[in-house]
Amino acid sequence: MQDRTRILHLTDLHLRQALSGTAKRPERLSRDMPAVLARLAGQMDALDADVVVVSGDLLDIPDEYIDGTNADPAWRAETAAASVADYRLFRDLLENLGLPFVAVPGNHDVPELFDTAFADQASMRDVAGLRFVCFRDGLNARREPVRDDEGRALFDRALADGAPQVHVQHYMIDPPTFAQWRYHYTDADWYRDRINAAGCVRALLSGHYHPGSHLVSDTGVHYSVPPAFCSAPFPFRLIDVGPAGVLGIQDRSVDNG
């Protein structure tokens, strides 16, 4: 890999444009996201990033669509069409940043609709000199993060490969985090112990927990969650990764630089 790869990591945008309304929580400025991303595009030269990573909740698709509690066919068709339009808008906004990007869906996304604009986002790909391993995980009936057999197989394959890598997923592995909900995986300890022992994972980039967090393990693995981008001042994180590990982290925002 190159001497330094700078990742611009943003998460939890909860965008709505073609989708009607806004997120249920008023601090999530869903309808402001296109304009804020356009402002971020104007700052890209100064940020000197190499790749953009978005770790889930690109959109704010209504819960009643995702959980099926609203079964009205006309409403579901209208919501799906609006979601597809917003995913395509989101992709245009990412491309306007002028860098390669990596994106995974979160719990407010619908993977099949996400793929109408992001089907090229492979589960393991080399971008800007780094190997990104991308997981599409979900929530169980208790709203706890879980990884299915396909995700576990990808995890095993990535660690066996041994290349310097960054894992991207919506949910947290470390530190264990509880607020209204559990934000880390039901088997997070198992993943954490294997990651810390592997020697090839430089960082895990997650979202979901809107206040954000940052932890460095005893073996130097960075577990990073930036604060949610959807709330002012629209924060994001810059992460510099070198061949031997993370070189530095900066917390920035669109409003405050």
Side-chain angles (χ1 to χ4, degrees), residues 23-94:
K24 291 179 179 178
R25 296 190 179 186
E27 72 273 13
R28 299 179 183 179
L29 303 177
S30 300
R31 305 201 73 80
D32 292 355
M33 288 297 97
V36 176
L37 284 169
R39 284 160 51 200
L40 178 62
Q43 301 174 8
M44 292 301 291
D45 286 347
L47 296 174
D48 193 28
D50 299 295
V51 57
V52 175
V53 170
V54 186
S55 55
D57 284 357
L58 285 68
L59 303 190
D60 190 81
I61 297 174
D63 290 342
E64 54 269 34
Y65 182 94
I66 293 172
D67 62 23
T69 53
N70 189 334
D72 178 69
W75 179 82
R76 293 190 69 80
E78 178 183 344
T79 302
S83 300
V84 168
D86 279 348
Y87 280 125
R88 290 173 177 164
L89 168 64
F90 202 110
R91 179 164 189 130
D92 288 344
L93 292 165
L94 282 181

Side-chain angles (χ1 to χ4, degrees), residues 210-233:
H210 281 215
S213 73
H214 180 224
L215 179 145
V216 184
S217 76
D218 292 342
T219 57
V221 181
H222 286 245
Y223 294 83
S224 179
V225 181
F229 189 80
C230 61
S231 300

Side-chain angles (χ1 to χ4, degrees), residues 103-127:
V104 299
N107 59 297
H108 288 272
D109 295 304
V110 173
E112 309 84 63
L113 302 178
F114 171 91
D115 281 338
T116 61
F118 294 99
D120 61 339
Q121 295 294 295
S123 58
M124 193 183 300
R125 52 198 287 246
D126 295 338
V127 184

Side-chain angles (χ1 to χ4, degrees), residues 8-23:
L8 192 164
H9 181 198
L10 56 158
T11 192
D12 294 82
L13 293 92
H14 289 267
L15 180 148
R16 290 195 191 189
Q17 193 72 21
L19 282 163
S20 62
T22 189

Side-chain angles (χ1 to χ4, degrees), residues 192-244:
R192 181 200 62 213
D193 292 346
R194 292 197 61 198
I195 288 165
N196 291 342
C200 58
V201 182
R202 303 298 182 247
L204 283 89
L205 310 184
S206 303
H208 194 46
Y209 182 58
H210 281 215
S213 73
H214 180 224
L215 179 145
V216 184
S217 76
D218 292 342
T219 57
V221 181
H222 286 245
Y223 294 83
S224 179
V225 181
F229 189 80
C230 61
S231 300
F234 313 112
F236 57 90
R237 186 165 283 169
L238 297 175
I239 304 169
D240 292 337
V241 183

